[in-house]
Structure formats: structure tokens, C-alpha cells
Amino acid sequence: MAARKDKIRRPEPTAGERTGQPGWAQELLEHLRPTGRDVRRIVDWLAGTVHASVALRDASGALVAGTGLSLDEELVAAVTSGRIASAAWEDGERHLRLVKVGHPHEVWALAVSRDAPFDRRSADVVAHTAQVVELLLTARETAAAGQRLRRASADLRLAILQLLMVEDTVAARRVAAGLWPGLLDADTACVYVVESEPARRDRLAEECLDSTEQEALVVRCPALDGHVIVVSPREAVAGALKSLVERHPDTFLGGSVRQSLARTATAYGQAVSALAVARFRPDKTAVYAERTHPERLMDPAALRGWAARLLRPLDAVSHHTRAELLATTRLGLEFTAVNTAKILGVSRNTVRARMERVETMLGTDFDDVTARAVVHLALHTRINLQDGQAGGTCATPAPGLTHLVSGPAVRSWAEGLLERLDRDARPLRRTLRTWIAAGVNAERAAQVLGVHAQTVREHVRSSEPVLERQLLAAGTDLYEVVLAHLALGDLGHPVFAGPVPAPSSG
């Protein structure tokens, strides 16, 4: 008999037996794993484990999980109000148990109804399940509160960026000081744009926050889903962002040169321009190159006087309105109306209305690319040469655009730039000039040239690496090429019916 007993194979102990816990406890703990945190599944598990009908109700009486049960509403109210922690009673052939489930902001009730009386095992299962449900509800509420806090913080960072974009540095500093003391204390900063797939953008933004150690303004770009904008006066931020880009494939970084906070919009444009270069570099990063810009080749005093005179009609409105019109127009000339609206936090109709008002006041037409380029030059002169201050009156009459762009230095620059296109066997220069004159419309340019619209687009696209400028996306690069054509007399000067009188003055 002894030998026979030794040969009997005993079953392997369960996980619960090895740990001294019953099997149902192990099953219940499994619901705390990240993949199993579902209150409805736990309630269903409880019903199957104790062979009962189960209902989880909130303070209003709404069913959260389980099945509807007929309960003593006075007892339910006593539990959800916190007056009692639990209750047990019999209702005919049913045996019921009601358990309070604590919650940070309210109390819920877990009701269990079964045909058989509650034994010790079933009572323990119900009590422990209530504790697990309470943990999950608390964790869910904490996660939701954290998400709300992160969303509010992101909205504030976007608001600060929008204030910087319209040159309201005082308000931007005031908002930032309460949450991120010292963030915008410096007079200058660099702007960076980190690009990834839109699906990875939220995670990338969090990594940018961690990498910069809260020493930068990190904003999910409101206009482009794959972009994260970073503004920081700290030199170390550039290195942190480069390390971040190195760790992730298909992630690129463009950075501006250091600019005053009032020129954040200019720095942002530089970062976007550098980003286009970064996509073709092995290290996936690029900083905006300070190349020769046409306005740098013009007499600064003459340029200031001309810009002040061109923009003088805007002096007729209040300072606040003028600032809105100038900021919106400056961004609207760089980006589409939709993206400008997202950056500024206004509607696209507001953007269009403001730009149309500027068109009317200046007496010009922004459908004319040359007019856009000239106004862009005036607006950037106001910022770059006058540090955001309005130009004063000049003792002598300011020269016109013709005088500014016809100087030897500007003409030499223009010839050197556009002559690059002559090295190609295709008529890139002729196509580009016609395309600009046609309002950068490929179909209209194709009709003039007698070619297919796709040929025009291919020629323009081929001109971009030769000129080292983005042309298909309206902005500073395109406007510089337009000014080069104006300097060489390849395009007619735009019309301004405002106070810039003589046709020879442009």
C-alpha cells in the first residue's frame, strides 16, 4: 500500500497555492494588470465567480457596469452618501449585499444579488472586488485629472507663443512668469522646429519637454500636425534637441539664429526654412544660414524711410489695431490663411478680413505676388532695422522702390542668384519668371508658355535646389526671388494707390 501511494502523481500546485492565496484572488489581481483594467470586465468576473447578478451604480443611480437590479433605494442612497459602508438583506428568495466603492469625487455602490446565502468565500470575493474597483476608478480619475492638467498647460504654452508671434512680449512674459519663472527673462531666444510623423507628435512633444528640462517653451504646432515648436534662450537646448533627433528615425530639426523675442515670428520662419535643409542632411539637423539678403544691400536709412512711407496708411488706426493688422499680414504673407489662423488662434475669416483691410489701406492687391513681396520687405524692414518701432518722418523725401532695388549691390546680387538657372539646359529662368508673373499659378503660366502645367511645376521644383530657396511654399524665399526679378527689370513693379505717389517710386 505504501509503495502504491508513492506512485500516485500529485497535481502541480496552482499559483494561488504557492503564494498562499486562493485562486479567485489571483484572478482578481490579474485585472490590475495594464491590459486588464476594465471595470466592466471585473464586474462580469465577479458575477461569474460568486454566481450572482451584479450592478455597479453611481451616485445618480445610473448603471455603470453589470445588470440592472431592483434595490432598496433608501439603502443605496445611504451607501452613496457615505452614511453607511455596506448593507446586507434578504428580499424573498434573493440574498443581496451592497458595498460602498470610494471615489475621489463621489461614492459608487456595488450591488450583488444571488439565490444562495453569502458564505465566507463569496463575501470575501465581493469585499475584495470592491477594493479593486475603487483602485481602478481612483486611478482613472487621477489619469483624467493629469490629462486635463497637461491639456491646460499645453493651451497656455500655445497662448504664450501666439503672444510672441504678434510681438506682445510683455503679455507673454506675464503669462509665462506664473508657471515657468525665468523662461522668457532673456531678451533674445532661438526657435527650433522638430518634425516627425503626425502620429508620433504628442510623444515627441513630451520628450522635448523632458529633454529641455522645462527650460524651453514647447508647443505642438497648431498649423502643421507633425511639428513641435521650441522657443528657448538657453544655448544648451540645441544640444538636447539634437540628441533627441539622433535617437529617433524620420525625425528632423531646424533652428533659427538668435533673435529678439519681438522677432519670434521671423525666427520661426527661419527654423522652418532650416528644416527643409535638415531633411537632406545625414545628421537630420540644420541651423538657418545667414545668407545675403537683398535688404542688407540697400541703404538702411533710405530703406527705413521707404518702408515707413509705404506703411503710413496704417498709422490712421489705433495702436492696438495697427499691431494686429501688421502681425496678421506678416504671418499671412508667410503661410496660408488657415495656418496663420491656427498660429494666431483666430478664425481664417478674421485673417482674411485683416489682410483685405491692409490691401485696401495700401491700395494694392495681394493676388499680385510682386505686391506681396514688396509689402513683405517693408514689414521685415520695420522689424529688422527698427526693432519693432514705427519709422519716423524723414527730413528729405524717401526714395522709391526703383531706387532701392536698382543699386549696383542689389543688381549684382540678383544677377548672381538668377544666373544659376542658366546652367540648366531647360528654360528654368524663363519658366520661373512667367510663373511669378502669372501669380505663381502653374496653369496660367502653362498657357502663356504653351506647355503642360506639370512641366511648369517640375521646372519650378527643379529651380529650388539651384537657388537654395523654397519656391512652391510662399514665404521669404519666394519673395527674395521676386525682388531679384524686380531688381533686373524682369517683372513690373506693383501698384500702390496709397500715399506713395510717383509711379517711378514703385
Side-chain angles (χ1 to χ4, degrees):
M1 290 290 294
R4 212 174 285 133
K5 286 180 181 179
D6 289 341
K7 293 180 181 179
I8 296 175
R9 293 187 62 185
R10 297 172 183 256
E12 290 293 325
T14 65
E17 291 171 342
R18 287 196 299 268
T19 60
Q21 293 176 333
W24 64 262
Q26 287 295 319
E27 293 176 10
L28 182 57
L29 289 175
E30 288 294 320
H31 288 283
L32 289 175
R33 293 181 180 273
T35 56
R37 294 175 183 174
D38 188 334
V39 171
R40 292 181 178 82
R41 287 175 57 188
I42 294 177
V43 168
D44 292 341
W45 172 86
L46 174 61
T49 302
V50 299
H51 307 291
S53 298
V54 182
L56 180 63
R57 293 170 51 172
D58 62 19
S60 68
L63 184 67
V64 178
T67 58
L69 295 176
S70 178
L71 302 171
D72 185 330
E73 296 302 328
E74 291 186 2
L75 282 176
V76 174
V79 169
T80 55
S81 66
R83 293 199 303 270
I84 61 175
S86 63
W89 72 98
E90 294 183 25
D91 183 6
E93 296 181 354
R94 294 191 307 155
H95 299 266
L96 297 101
R97 184 155 294 198
L98 198 61
V99 182
K100 180 183 76 172
V101 177
H103 195 255
H105 301 296
E106 59 181 325
V107 177
W108 293 8
L110 180 67
V112 183
S113 172
R114 49 185 262 154
D115 297 333
F118 285 86
D119 54 14
R120 180 174 180 179
R121 174 184 177 276
S122 59
D124 284 347
V125 173
V126 172
H128 284 81
T129 301
Q131 294 174 356
V132 170
V133 171
E134 180 177 316
L135 284 173
L136 291 186
L137 293 175
T138 302
R140 188 171 70 181
E141 178 61 28
T142 301
Q147 180 62 27
R148 289 193 296 271
L149 180 61
R150 286 191 292 273
R151 189 179 302 115
S153 179
D155 290 344
L156 278 174
R157 289 196 295 269
L158 174 58
I160 294 169
L161 177 65
Q162 290 169 340
L163 289 169
L164 291 175
M165 286 289 194
V166 297
E167 306 172 31
D168 195 347
T169 57
V170 174
R173 283 182 171 128
R174 186 180 299 122
V175 175
L179 297 171
W180 302 282
L183 179 62
L184 299 179
D185 283 352
D187 293 328
T188 61
C190 291
V191 175
Y192 306 92
V193 176
V194 189
E195 181 183 61
S196 70
E197 290 295 325
R200 291 190 55 251
R201 202 262 294 270
D202 286 347
R203 181 178 175 184
L204 180 65
E206 294 298 324
E207 291 191 45
C208 287
L209 283 169
D210 294 339
S211 299
T212 57
E213 298 179 349
Q214 304 295 329
E215 292 188 343
L217 180 67
V218 178
V219 180
R220 293 167 177 81
C221 179
L224 299 172
D225 292 338
H227 287 188
V228 176
I229 303 170
V230 181
V231 183
S232 178
R234 276 70 171 180
E235 296 285 352
V237 166
L241 293 177
K242 287 180 180 178
S243 298
L244 174 64
V245 168
E246 289 174 358
R247 297 196 300 269
H248 296 290
D250 301 322
T251 305
F252 307 94
L253 172 66
S256 74
V257 296
R258 186 165 290 276
Q259 302 279 8
S260 68
L261 289 180
R263 295 176 62 189
T264 298
T266 299
Y268 172 63
Q270 291 180 349
V272 172
S273 180
L275 185 64
V277 178
R279 298 188 188 105
F280 302 99
R281 289 195 172 178
D283 62 354
K284 303 182 296 180
T285 65
V287 176
Y288 183 77
E290 278 287 20
R291 62 193 180 214
T292 301
H293 298 286
E295 63 268 26
R296 303 284 177 86
L297 304 174
M298 302 174 189
D299 178 12
L303 183 58
R304 277 195 298 268
W306 167 81
R309 189 172 60 159
L310 183 71
L311 300 175
R312 189 169 299 155
L314 297 175
D315 294 339
V317 299
S318 66
H319 175 76
H320 175 73
T321 301
R322 183 175 184 270
E324 281 186 342
L325 293 176
L326 290 173
T328 302
T329 303
R330 190 151 53 88
L331 287 174
L333 294 176
E334 293 279 358
F335 308 103
T336 65
V338 173
N339 287 347
T340 299
K342 291 178 180 178
I343 293 170
L344 294 176
V346 298
S347 72
R348 60 184 177 183
N349 289 335
T350 299
V351 171
R352 292 192 178 106
R354 290 176 181 174
M355 293 191 68
E356 287 173 3
R357 186 175 181 185
V358 172
E359 282 181 289
T360 301
M361 297 180 75
L362 297 182
T364 193
D365 181 5
F366 283 159
D367 287 338
D368 181 353
V369 182
T370 59
R372 294 171 68 92
V374 170
V375 174
H376 182 271
L377 173 64
L379 290 174
H380 277 259
T381 298
R382 173 183 170 272
I383 293 297
N384 297 347
L385 296 185
Q386 298 169 200
D387 198 25
Q389 300 176 8
T393 58
C394 299
T396 58
L401 180 64
T402 300
H403 175 81
L404 290 172
V405 301
S406 61
V410 179
R411 287 185 59 85
S412 176
W413 163 81
E415 289 172 356
L417 178 66
L418 297 182
E419 280 177 357
R420 302 180 196 174
L421 299 173
D422 297 334
R423 302 167 191 165
D424 196 290
R426 295 167 295 177
L428 298 184
R429 186 166 177 174
R430 177 169 173 259
T431 301
L432 184 59
R433 180 177 65 250
T434 307
W435 176 70
I436 293 173
V440 295
N441 183 288
E443 285 74 17
R444 291 203 296 267
Q447 291 177 358
V448 174
L449 295 170
V451 298
H452 196 277
Q454 186 59 32
T455 301
V456 174
R457 295 188 188 96
E458 289 176 359
H459 284 192
V460 174
R461 192 175 292 110
S462 298
S463 300
E464 290 186 321
V466 177
L467 299 176
E468 298 179 338
R469 283 163 174 81
Q470 295 185 90
L471 301 176
L472 293 172
T476 302
D477 287 358
L478 172 61
Y479 299 143
E480 287 188 356
V481 174
V482 172
L483 289 177
H485 283 85
L486 289 174
L488 297 179
D490 292 341
L491 290 172
H493 286 204
V495 174
F496 288 87
V500 182
S504 62
S505 65

